[in-house]
Amino acid sequence: MADKTEHPRNVYLAEQDLIGPLDSWLSTCFAPHRLAETIDDLYAAQPELNVDPGAAAAVKAVEKCDRALERHRAALEAGADIDRKAEVYRQLQLHATYHPVNDKCGSRLMSIRTAGVIASVRGGT
């Protein structure tokens, strides 16, 4: 039930309602007896600086493609029509090859990375 609940993308919060609790929290974090702990926490939360920006961008792009592929796969498994399937395959740059000897189909994503998947063909398609 909880996974079907719709949540708003944003929430309005008046500044006057936030300032008091935020100031109290910050005063607690930066109190003299907690200052060293807070500094250690802030230091530990910093991103790694030795990350190659190109590699990080590639990882994000692959993750985005993985999410899109999962959405498309779910739509196809839910029974999307054949014309829609062809369009999805074209958008994903997915190339499939049928192997009649073992009745399997191999597929390759030709865009960001290559992934081979072998699956049984259902229903002769």
Side-chain angles (χ1 to χ4, degrees):
M1 174 105 174
D3 61 326
K4 303 221 186 263
T5 302
E6 301 247 351
H7 297 283
R9 288 186 162 269
N10 57 19
V11 176
Y12 173 76
L13 181 60
E15 182 179 355
Q16 66 187 15
D17 296 333
L18 178 65
I19 293 297
L22 182 59
D23 282 345
S24 295
W25 175 72
L26 288 171
S27 296
T28 302
C29 291
F30 289 98
H33 69 281
R34 295 203 52 207
L35 191 55
E37 177 186 351
T38 299
I39 291 171
D40 289 343
D41 290 344
L42 289 170
Y43 178 78
Q46 296 302 306
E48 186 177 329
L49 298 177
N50 296 329
V51 174
D52 175 18
V59 167
K60 284 185 178 183
V62 168
E63 289 171 348
K64 182 179 176 183
C65 286
D66 285 343
R67 287 190 300 273
L69 180 58
E70 190 56 40
R71 284 192 312 273
H72 292 304
R73 181 179 289 136
L76 294 174
E77 289 175 357
D81 65 47
I82 193 69
D83 292 332
R84 178 68 182 126
K85 288 180 184 182
E87 176 62 23
V88 169
Y89 292 162
R90 188 169 47 260
Q91 287 176 2
L92 291 172
Q93 296 181 15
L94 180 69
H95 298 271
T97 305
Y98 178 64
H99 304 280
V101 173
N102 55 7
D103 198 29
K104 302 276 183 180
C105 184
S107 61
R108 289 172 57 144
L109 288 174
M110 302 305 290
S111 56
I112 302 242
R113 69 175 179 181
T114 301
V117 178
I118 303 293
S120 295
V121 176
R122 295 183 298 170
T125 59

